[in-house]
Amino acid sequence: MTTVAEVKRWTKGILAEHPDLVLEKRDLYLLPLRHIYRAIEFLGSSQRTFPTPAGRFGVLFAPPSVPMSHSNGFYLQVGHSTDPLFQELLESETRKALEGGLRRLHSIEAFYELTLEDNLIWRVLCTGLSWSPMLQATVLAALGKFPEARQVTMAYIEQADEAGLRAVLASGQALQAKRPRSSDAYYDIKYATAFLQRLSDIRLLDERVRDGDHSGLAALLHQWEQDRVRQLGVEHLWEATPFPLERDL
């Protein structure tokens, strides 16, 4: 597995060339770190000499029910660390990732514009917002696009099978009581709980959007963002800034 020491050695030249990059363990973060997460992550690999760096971006103010891994991105093709041209290729691919997309995602507005359609960024599947109602509604709300956000939240709520999810949860809990080590019970509970939490989060968002509660919505998004930043362990890099919806408050 790629070590922190190896990543530090490989990225020394990259950091010197790009002062708006900072290394945190295995992750190169692009600054400023505000509402949009932009980084190049050196992921784990089964082969010690085959690192798998990936350009990643995501919404820091996403609802808590959206997993930390729920981000978009692409892999940098750099080959093996033992290859003679590895260092040169890594730096070249990093430049492409930065200039080809990551730097362009400098604000919520830019993020929204660049993710209006699937495959728009780097021609990578699912980089659009339409595939994730949770993120789509949250970004629209942050931009102050309340009517558009409400369309998404209402459609999600109307299509959600809450009764079915609660039935799955109850069934899983009953099975777990009889067979504590049951994998079926574990996965049923995990599945139902996750989607019920998503439904709860989007209802919370919908209430504030429906009421035109700019202040309440901003407070909610700031809290979600702060919680996610804390989970990532990058509070010292994060800059807390107003959302677009707050500009007219």
Side-chain angles (χ1 to χ4, degrees):
M1 183 177 180
T2 299
T3 67
V4 173
E6 285 173 323
V7 175
K8 186 176 181 180
R9 184 174 71 254
W10 295 337
T11 58
K12 187 176 181 180
I14 295 170
L15 289 166
E17 181 181 340
H18 304 281
D20 56 351
L21 285 178
V22 62
L23 179 63
E24 290 290 321
K25 297 182 179 179
R26 290 189 179 87
D27 301 332
L28 280 173
Y29 285 90
L30 180 59
L31 303 179
L33 181 63
R34 292 170 181 162
H35 302 300
I36 305 300
Y37 160 85
R38 302 171 295 166
I40 293 175
E41 302 173 347
F42 287 80
L43 308 174
S45 171
S46 59
Q47 299 183 51
R48 176 66 180 273
T49 64
F50 191 67
T52 53
R56 299 289 183 192
F57 61 95
V59 179
L60 281 175
F61 53 95
S65 57
V66 175
M68 296 292 293
S69 60
H70 203 67
S71 60
N72 306 96
F74 57 97
Y75 289 102
L76 279 63
Q77 304 301 319
V78 298
H80 289 265
S81 60
T82 52
D83 295 341
L85 297 178
F86 169 77
Q87 189 66 43
E88 181 181 334
L89 189 56
L90 174 61
E91 294 180 8
S92 173
E93 288 296 300
T94 298
R95 292 187 197 102
K96 289 180 183 178
L98 292 172
E99 304 309 326
L102 291 180
R103 289 196 197 283
R104 299 168 66 194
L105 298 168
H106 55 82
S107 65
I108 300 175
E109 292 92 338
F111 177 85
Y112 175 70
E113 292 297 327
L114 288 168
T115 54
L116 281 175
E117 300 179 12
D118 287 343
N119 302 316
L120 188 59
I121 301 179
W122 303 293
R123 299 178 182 270
V124 176
L125 182 64
C126 292
T127 54
L129 283 174
S130 60
W131 69 284
S132 176
M134 297 292 293
L135 292 180
Q136 186 179 30
T138 307
V139 170
L140 288 168
L143 289 170
K145 296 179 180 291
F146 283 15
E148 296 94 326
R150 190 90 207 282
Q151 288 181 355
V152 179
T153 57
M154 288 178 65
Y156 187 94
I157 293 169
E158 289 172 1
Q159 293 173 10
D161 182 11
E162 183 176 6
L165 289 170
R166 294 200 178 281
V168 171
L169 179 61
S171 175
Q173 290 171 333
L175 179 58
Q176 189 177 62
K178 295 178 182 178
R179 296 164 48 195
R181 296 184 180 180
S182 169
S183 60
D184 288 340
Y186 171 80
Y187 286 111
D188 281 351
I189 292 172
K190 183 178 180 179
Y191 166 82
T193 300
F195 280 92
L196 284 169
Q197 184 58 54
R198 290 188 187 184
L199 184 57
S200 175
D201 286 345
I202 208 164
R203 278 178 171 157
L204 201 58
L205 189 71
D206 180 72
E207 288 174 5
R208 285 159 174 73
V209 170
R210 178 197 63 201
D211 297 339
D213 183 3
H214 286 68
S215 297
L217 177 59
L220 177 67
L221 297 182
H222 281 299
Q223 185 61 59
W224 284 353
E225 183 171 281
Q226 186 175 12
D227 291 344
R228 188 163 295 255
V229 166
R230 187 180 299 112
Q231 284 182 284
L232 287 170
V234 291
E235 299 100 318
H236 58 295
L237 301 178
W238 174 55
E239 295 180 27
T241 56
F243 289 100
L245 72 92
E246 297 179 84
R247 290 173 186 164
D248 296 327
L249 295 182

